[in-house]
Amino acid sequence: MSSASRSSLAALTLGAIGIVYGDIGTSPLYAVKEVFAEGRVPFTPQNVYGILSMFFWTLTVIVSFKYVTLVLRADNNGEGGLVAMLALASQAVKDKPRLRGVLLGIGIFGTALFYGDGVITPAISVLSAMEGLELVSHRFHHAIIPLTLVVLTGIFWIQKHGTSGIGRFFGPVMVFWFLVLGFIGGLQILRQPEILLALNPVYALGFVWHHPLLTFMILGALVLCVTGAEALYADMGHFGKRPIRVAWFAIVMPALTLNYFGQGALLLARPDAVQNPFYLMVPEWALVPMVLLSTVATIIASQALISGAFSVTKQVIQLGYLPRLRVLHTSVQQTGQIYIPFVNWGLFALIVLAVMMFKNSGNLAHAYGIAVCAVMVITTVLTFFVIRYSWRLPLALCVAATGMFFMIDLAFFSSAMLKVVDGGWFPLLIGFGIFTLMMTWREGRQLLNDKLRADAIELPGFLEAVFAVPPTRVEGTAVFLTAELGIVPNALLHNLKHNKVLHEQNLFVTIRNHEVPWIGLERRLEIESLGHDCWQVVVNYGFKNEPDLPRALEQMRLRGCSMEPMTTSYFLSRDVVVPTIGAGMAPWREKLFAQMHHNASAAAEFLHLPSNAVVELGSKIEI
């Protein structure tokens, strides 16, 4: 490997540690504490060995084997994440429409659950970091929630300014965090080296054998140690497979193992440390600095998840499952750095509500896990269809490769469901609410398009009739946006009716979003000449492409259509949806869709159209 390649790998690995592993890196703050909380597990040395062994092998099987070894191989043109996996699986079974519909529903539900996870993760991470202050002095007890809210407010307020400036510090800070995790854990292991016997899976299997019901009940708490595992796959497009794998095996996994086993060693020596084994490993003089470092680490972990929420939302919008939202770019160099105000402040409001409702990390832990486990199950299911129908591997091998992971994921999910009454309902409620919005928007758009198609006039025949007695042609280019290919846009009808003119050049443009991450410029446009200086144009985007219609249409110059910015007008139809009783969706869903359609961000802003060149002509459509 050349020195340049080594330097690039080191830089990407450092970035991966800062962004990808923030969530899983802060789980030692609360994971061990929650497994032993409220006397769930009888406190004996044998049980401590068993639990620590289960922590280690959970990390090994779910993260090392499932995500790092298997799931990272399922890239969609280099991109990862549940949306990319969903697109890959749906494309693999596109010749099976019913199965494809089921997989799309499952995948979109998993994406909706991501937002439930996005609410609990920052809340539990920051709150658990702040709870260390109570060990400094009991006088801090009443300040924990206010300080948590102050930190969370700061995190969400800074989003509009972008994170490119502070992002470069994420990697070094998280490397230092993992080194500290390993160091304080290692010191405890040196005092109780026998705890390393728990690396033997026999201790985990022995605990399961002797306490099967108890094992099932604590799996929902044990899963806390793999929170954030999904980020390994989601951020693959930013860093690549190799840096993520190097970061995991070289730094993250060893540091987490040392810290968890250090907490176990402390519990063997001091069973009373179960109230907060993470902070009680730290010498008293280092407690305040450790709280500060933990707070910074949880801020970084929260930042990665918030940025992920922005990216996922943008991808889901382009797949057609959410209305257009206002998307702001916070970096002139990296198109991936975006800020969506509605998502930012919606998450913030829900996180504040979670902190005020649950009040401490222990109560939040009851709410945590269900969304995470459900997404893990869905990822495994989609992986099966990718390796079976896209990679075309033998059925027996596909079942063997995913079957074990499916059973493990299902066991974790079933255990997490026991926590529904104690707080698990909260992320589920968020997930179901967002899933309802997504499916309502998708089905509403389908109804709207069906209505437009039913009332539509075929474009070629209409133009033939128009040019039989041509109207006055005026200088410039008119771009008419239409959702359906080959039909007359309402905006054109209104323009001819009221202005009685037609431009010298006319483009009838349909935007198509595809289930692939990227579509290059060479495949951006599909152009068909309609005669009389009129063209039908299809503009293709992947779900990670940045829609920019004027830039895309610059390629029309090669077809003899010179588009001068000062003489180009963009005509848009602004439809007002009117819900009606009858066929279609339930009345409340039609009203919901009408409201979403009304509040959707303007197409002009979403497509980067110049504001002084846009003409909107409205009409009412009943669905």
Side-chain angles (χ1 to χ4, degrees):
M1 184 185 290
S2 67
S3 58
S5 299
R6 283 195 294 270
S7 174
S8 175
L9 177 62
L12 288 169
T13 302
L14 184 65
I17 292 170
I19 299 298
V20 176
Y21 293 108
D23 194 357
I24 200 170
T26 53
S27 55
L29 284 165
Y30 45 81
V32 174
K33 178 178 72 172
E34 290 311 316
V35 171
F36 285 100
E38 300 172 4
R40 290 192 187 97
V41 179
F43 206 91
T44 66
Q46 198 68 18
N47 285 350
V48 172
Y49 285 127
I51 293 297
L52 263 294
S53 186
M54 290 175 72
F55 266 97
F56 175 75
W57 286 101
T58 298
L59 285 170
T60 301
V61 172
I62 291 183
V63 183
S64 299
F65 292 166
K66 177 185 171 181
Y67 280 98
V68 175
T69 303
L70 176 63
V71 174
L72 281 185
R73 295 176 184 271
D75 66 293
N76 191 336
N77 294 328
E79 294 296 328
L82 194 57
V83 174
M85 177 73 85
L86 171 61
L88 210 58
S90 68
Q91 283 293 306
V93 296
K94 61 185 176 183
D95 57 334
K96 299 176 174 62
R98 290 186 65 180
L99 176 59
R100 182 174 179 272
V102 171
L103 290 182
L104 282 169
I106 292 172
I108 290 299
F109 181 62
T111 304
L113 285 175
F114 170 82
Y115 294 94
D117 181 24
V119 169
I120 303 295
T121 297
I124 193 173
S125 298
V126 177
L127 198 51
S128 59
M130 288 297 171
E131 284 170 351
L133 291 171
E134 199 168 8
L135 299 176
V136 177
S137 171
H138 289 296
R139 287 178 295 180
F140 282 112
H141 175 75
H142 296 294
I144 289 173
I145 290 180
L147 285 174
T148 298
L149 296 178
V150 168
V151 170
L152 288 168
T153 302
I155 293 172
F156 283 90
W157 179 80
I158 204 172
Q159 298 304 316
K160 62 183 177 183
H161 301 289
T163 57
S164 55
I166 59 173
R168 69 191 69 173
F169 299 111
F170 286 2
V173 169
M174 290 308 293
V175 168
F176 181 64
W177 168 253
F178 283 114
L179 292 176
V180 170
L181 286 185
F183 179 72
I184 62 175
L187 288 179
Q188 296 297 326
I189 293 171
L190 288 175
R191 293 169 187 161
Q192 301 281 341
E194 62 271 19
I195 193 66
L196 292 176
L197 292 171
L199 290 169
N200 190 334
V202 169
Y203 285 95
L205 295 172
F207 185 89
V208 174
W209 178 260
H210 290 105
H211 308 283
L213 183 59
L214 179 61
T215 299
F216 178 71
M217 293 177 69
I218 66 169
L219 284 178
L222 190 68
V223 77
L224 293 170
C225 76
V226 292
T227 56
E230 196 71 30
L232 275 75
Y233 182 48
D235 289 312
M236 179 170 60
H238 295 288
F239 302 102
K241 301 172 189 177
R242 192 173 181 195
I244 290 174
R245 287 172 173 155
V246 170
W248 174 251
F249 288 115
I251 294 179
V252 180
M253 175 89 174
L256 292 176
T257 302
L258 285 171
N259 194 268
Y260 284 128
F261 277 68
Q263 292 186 49
L266 177 67
L267 293 176
L268 287 178
R270 290 178 50 198
D272 62 304
V274 72
Q275 60 175 309
N276 201 323
F278 177 83
Y279 279 118
L280 289 173
M281 283 197 299
V282 180
E284 193 172 334
W285 60 267
L287 202 52
V288 172
M290 193 65 193
V291 171
L292 293 175
L293 178 60
S294 300
T295 303
V296 173
T298 56
I299 288 171
I300 292 173
S302 301
Q303 175 58 56
L305 198 143
I306 295 164
S307 299
F310 295 155
S311 298
V312 166
T313 301
K314 181 172 175 285
Q315 293 172 22
V316 171
I317 288 170
Q318 291 188 220
L319 280 177
Y321 284 92
L322 279 177
R324 294 181 303 270
L325 296 173
R326 189 169 177 233
V327 178
L328 304 177
H329 290 264
T330 58
S331 171
V332 294
Q333 296 174 320
Q334 295 178 301
T335 58
Q337 290 209 8
I338 58 173
Y339 168 66
I340 304 178
F342 180 82
V343 174
N344 187 68
W345 295 113
L347 273 179
F348 175 72
L350 289 170
I351 289 170
V352 169
L353 179 63
V355 171
M356 299 300 291
M357 281 174 53
F358 293 98
K359 300 187 184 305
N360 61 59
S361 61
N363 292 335
L364 275 167
H366 292 307
Y368 206 30
I370 294 180
V372 174
C373 294
V375 171
M376 284 164 49
V377 171
I378 290 168
T379 298
T380 302
V381 170
L382 294 178
T383 301
F384 169 81
F385 286 98
V386 170
I387 65 177
R388 173 64 180 145
Y389 293 101
S390 183
W391 300 358
R392 303 192 180 282
L393 296 180
L395 178 62
L397 181 60
C398 295
V399 171
T402 59
M404 180 187 71
F405 297 129
F406 179 76
M407 297 303 294
I408 293 171
D409 293 341
L410 197 61
F412 276 109
F413 176 69
S414 301
S415 176
M417 287 298 288
L418 297 174
K419 302 190 292 185
V420 168
V421 176
D422 294 327
W425 57 269
F426 187 69
L428 280 180
L429 184 65
I430 294 170
F432 275 111
I434 293 174
F435 180 69
T436 300
L437 292 176
M438 287 179 173
M439 297 311 293
T440 298
W441 179 257
R442 180 75 168 188
E443 292 175 30
R445 288 293 304 172
Q446 188 63 50
L447 286 173
L448 186 61
N449 290 338
D450 289 346
K451 180 66 175 176
L452 289 172
R453 200 179 299 114
D455 298 338
I457 303 169
E458 293 292 330
L459 182 60
F462 178 80
L463 290 178
E464 189 177 328
V466 166
F467 287 113
V469 185
T472 303
R473 305 290 289 266
V474 295
E475 184 183 355
T477 303
V479 178
F480 295 94
L481 269 74
T482 173
E484 290 294 320
L485 197 64
I487 67 170
V488 179
N490 284 335
L492 174 61
L493 294 173
H494 288 298
N495 189 46
L496 285 171
K497 178 181 178 181
H498 298 291
N499 298 325
K500 298 179 175 56
V501 296
L502 202 63
H503 285 71
E504 279 182 337
Q505 300 177 134
N506 296 275
L507 275 61
F508 303 96
V509 176
T510 299
I511 307 293
R512 275 189 183 161
N513 293 301
H514 297 264
E515 294 174 1
V516 295
W518 306 101
I519 288 180
L521 289 175
E522 70 280 359
R523 293 190 295 131
R524 178 75 73 231
L525 297 187
E526 297 173 25
I527 306 167
E528 179 187 350
S529 175
L530 300 174
H532 306 282
D533 288 326
C534 296
W535 291 269
Q536 187 166 268
V537 183
V538 177
V539 186
N540 298 295
Y541 289 112
F543 58 77
K544 295 204 75 172
N545 283 125
E546 178 64 25
D548 188 331
L549 187 58
R551 184 182 175 192
L553 293 179
E554 286 176 3
Q555 296 184 38
M556 291 298 299
R557 295 179 188 275
L558 301 175
R559 298 295 295 266
C561 177
S562 179
M563 296 183 61
E564 298 300 328
M566 296 302 295
T567 58
T568 299
S569 300
Y570 297 86
F571 290 84
L572 282 67
S573 298
R574 185 71 171 180
D575 302 318
V576 177
V577 176
V578 181
T580 58
I581 297 173
M585 298 185 291
W588 68 269
R589 291 185 69 199
E590 289 193 357
K591 290 177 181 177
L592 176 61
F593 172 72
Q595 194 62 39
M596 293 171 73
H597 192 274
H598 175 73
N599 292 326
S601 173
E605 183 179 23
F606 189 76
L607 296 172
H608 292 80
L609 305 184
S611 57
N612 61 350
V614 174
V615 180
E616 285 195 332
L617 300 168
S619 61
K620 285 187 177 182
I621 300 178
E622 295 183 352
I623 61 169

